[in-house]
Amino acid sequence: VGTMRRLLGGLPRRLPRRFRAGFSTRVHEESPPILERDPTLKRTGDVRYSDELITLDPTQIPDVPAYRVMDESGNLLHPQRNYGLSTDKLVEMYEIMGEVMVVDHVFMQAQRHGRISFYMQNTGEEAIQVGSAAALEDKDHVFAQYRELGVYLSRGFDMQQVAHQCFSNVHDFGKGRQMPIHLGASHLNLHTISSPLATQLPQAVGASYVLKRRGEGACVICYFGEGAASEGDFHAALNFASTMDCPVIFFCRNNGFAISTPTHEQYRGDGILSRAHGYGMAGIRVDGNDMIAVYEATKEAREYAVSENRPIIIEAMTYRRGHHSSSDDASAYRCDKELKWWQTNNDPVARVRMHLESLGAWDSDKEAELRQLHKKKVMKCLNAAEKAQKPPMSDLFNDVYAEMPPRLIRQKARLDEHLAKYPDDYKLGKFASEDVYKSSK
């Protein structure tokens, strides 16, 4: 301890009681006061001792079941229970799921035709997106990964803006600087999606800490796939969130594949949920293809995070039916038979539709009308976005700093000079002028 004092310089000669356990070799008969306030904390001086050698065997720990409300045919397991969703709300949520499906089809085809450069589908995960978004409040903040289109649409993100962003045009909130489907809207508390895997997790923790300090009674929800849980940022984020008591929901979409890597090659143990215990966090496992169950799980998690100022993990078990992205060919690592089984036996959209039909709130005519309506709307947005100009060239230099430094001013001047000298080589008519750009905002 004396050496430690000399190295750290600032430590007092006698440590306060709450810090002594970490520096003492004496076995405490009683737990120090800090443990009374936080039973999840375990430190060297606070460990119980035993004369029996114990080896933890993970195969002897029972798996945590996934919570569900509906079976695969849309039948409620407990029809008498009130799940807090009216029939009108269920129809509204189902319509958003249908819109996601149409967007996936139209925009994937647009990418194949070379109209946009990239796209990521949501097929098979619609219930996760729409169900979780319905349980949030407007003041909550969202950090998405890239497969959460239904979350964005549920929170009021405009379909036309989705198209603008995918074409990186002058109307894009992101000013054409992001890959397609990397959406964001500050006025909706939708933080812009980042391409690097798992970077959103520590960012979400920081944002949730700010919300706690402000006393806003809000939380952050952070979406990620089970593959992102292998990144270092995942572990750093969970540790920070737990030790700093942050109101954040870590929402894991366990969809079976990290691009082409199946879960059995990605991790061992009882999924991602099992890691909650190691970080002293609460956790929920839910059937990710059951929209009502996802809603209930997220609502419960939100109430816990906000009231307790504590993090919580939700692991939603689902299956990614589409390619990882437009750059992927899923047939290279999974068979068509597997894909068809999930489509036939455990489709999250069909589940909700069958439930609504059992309530007398939906039928085949309404289904056909909805699909046609969505297709017209999505095609109209796609065509309008394609015709719009690109952001002005000056946006290459704007917003990098609050005030443009001299070196960027010089670079911009050289570019302007170059473009003035060779205007025909750059098709400058595709780019909006500064005046047009400002008026569009």
Side-chain angles (χ1 to χ4, degrees):
V1 175
T3 303
M4 184 66 73
R5 288 198 192 101
R6 288 192 294 272
L7 288 174
L8 299 180
L11 279 177
R13 291 185 59 80
R14 181 167 178 78
L15 296 172
R17 178 177 175 81
R18 63 175 293 191
F19 293 115
R20 287 181 211 163
F23 292 94
S24 174
T25 58
R26 180 172 61 87
V27 176
H28 289 278
E29 298 297 331
E30 297 180 359
S31 298
I34 192 172
L35 285 186
E36 297 174 6
R37 296 195 300 273
D38 188 355
T40 66
L41 182 62
K42 183 69 71 176
R43 298 192 300 185
T44 304
D46 308 311
V47 174
R48 292 186 299 109
Y49 295 96
S50 170
D51 59 1
E52 179 184 357
L53 181 62
I54 300 174
T55 301
L56 291 179
D57 184 354
T59 63
Q60 299 304 309
I61 301 174
D63 292 345
V64 178
Y67 174 69
R68 65 161 39 174
V69 170
M70 295 187 291
D71 64 18
E72 287 81 356
S73 299
N75 301 308
L76 294 178
L77 303 182
H78 299 283
Q80 73 282 2
R81 188 182 298 175
N82 181 10
Y83 295 100
L85 292 170
S86 66
T87 301
D88 288 344
K89 183 62 178 179
L90 288 172
V91 170
E92 177 188 328
M93 295 167 72
Y94 178 72
E95 288 175 350
I96 296 174
M97 296 174 83
E99 185 172 8
V100 171
M101 293 177 64
V102 173
V103 173
D104 272 0
H105 176 75
V106 172
F107 276 67
M108 195 68 170
Q109 291 300 312
Q111 192 280 331
R112 295 304 192 220
H113 296 157
R115 298 173 71 180
I116 59 176
S117 61
F118 181 81
Y119 189 73
M120 302 196 78
Q121 292 176 294
N122 305 269
T123 311
E125 301 181 39
E126 299 90 348
I128 283 178
Q129 301 168 15
V130 179
S132 62
L136 302 174
E137 295 189 10
D138 291 343
K139 60 184 177 180
D140 298 329
H141 287 245
V142 175
F143 284 77
Q145 185 161 335
Y146 42 58
R147 210 181 306 281
E148 283 85 24
L149 178 61
V151 176
Y152 276 68
L153 296 177
S154 296
R155 287 179 69 89
F157 197 86
D158 186 57
M159 182 60 237
Q160 185 63 70
Q161 182 56 217
V162 174
H164 287 326
Q165 197 281 328
C166 286
F167 278 96
S168 300
N169 66 31
V170 69
H171 306 296
D172 171 23
F173 290 156
K175 301 182 179 182
R177 295 168 174 169
Q178 284 276 12
M179 290 178 64
I181 219 65
H182 286 48
L183 311 170
S186 58
H187 66 287
L188 298 173
N189 290 333
L190 297 168
H191 293 254
T192 303
I193 295 169
S194 301
S195 291
L197 197 63
T199 55
Q200 76 274 17
L201 278 91
Q203 295 166 1
V205 174
S208 67
Y209 186 70
V210 170
L211 294 179
K212 184 182 81 166
R213 292 293 299 270
R214 290 176 178 172
E216 295 187 3
C219 73
V220 170
I221 187 167
C222 181
Y223 296 90
F224 60 97
E226 81 284 350
S230 295
E231 294 285 337
D233 278 348
F234 169 84
H235 298 280
L238 266 64
N239 200 38
F240 269 113
S242 188
T243 57
M244 301 297 287
D245 295 323
C246 297
V248 54
I249 302 169
F250 294 104
F251 198 109
C252 177
R253 300 175 288 95
N254 192 334
N255 63 17
F257 294 93
I259 306 182
S260 60
T261 303
T263 52
H264 71 271
E265 296 179 11
Q266 185 69 228
Y267 59 77
R268 290 292 185 268
D270 186 21
I272 307 304
L273 181 65
S274 62
R275 303 180 192 183
H277 179 73
Y279 286 105
M281 293 169 54
I284 299 171
R285 174 170 286 154
V286 64
D287 179 355
N289 288 2
D290 182 340
M291 188 187 72
I292 300 178
V294 172
Y295 166 79
E296 274 211 307
T298 309
K299 184 179 180 181
E300 177 75 15
R302 187 195 180 278
E303 291 177 357
Y304 172 84
V306 173
S307 63
E308 302 295 328
N309 273 324
R310 290 288 299 161
I312 183 170
I313 293 179
I314 296 177
E315 183 179 24
M317 312 305 291
T318 184
Y319 186 82
R320 191 199 80 212
R321 295 218 317 264
H323 303 294
H324 171 72
S325 72
S326 56
S327 302
D328 176 45
D329 179 9
S331 65
Y333 51 85
R334 65 183 182 189
C335 64
D336 189 54
K337 183 179 179 180
E338 175 182 318
L339 186 63
K340 287 182 177 179
W341 185 92
W342 282 92
Q343 184 174 356
T344 304
N345 297 286
N346 206 338
D347 185 327
V349 180
R351 233 160 149 177
V352 179
R353 185 179 68 247
M354 288 187 285
H355 178 61
L356 290 175
E357 289 174 348
S358 70
L359 297 176
W362 204 255
D363 55 37
S364 58
D365 291 338
K366 290 182 178 180
E367 182 71 19
E369 182 181 354
L370 179 69
R371 295 294 179 93
Q372 189 65 23
L373 182 67
H374 281 328
K375 186 174 181 180
K376 287 182 179 179
K377 176 183 176 181
V378 172
M379 289 300 301
K380 181 180 178 180
C381 293
L382 183 83
N383 293 329
E386 188 174 30
K387 295 173 182 176
Q389 290 180 300
K390 299 298 182 185
M393 284 281 193
S394 58
D395 259 9
L396 287 169
F397 305 93
N398 296 331
D399 299 332
V400 181
Y401 297 92
E403 295 183 10
M404 195 180 299
R407 65 180 181 277
L408 286 187
I409 293 175
R410 291 193 296 269
Q411 290 176 24
K412 183 177 182 300
R414 287 198 295 269
L415 177 63
D416 291 341
E417 180 182 352
H418 180 80
L419 294 176
K421 188 175 181 180
Y422 304 103
D424 297 335
D425 295 328
Y426 291 95
K427 299 180 180 178
L428 297 180
K430 296 193 306 181
F431 298 90
S433 67
E434 198 70 44
D435 293 337
V436 171
Y437 176 69
K438 290 179 180 178
S439 65
S440 71
K441 299 299 176 184

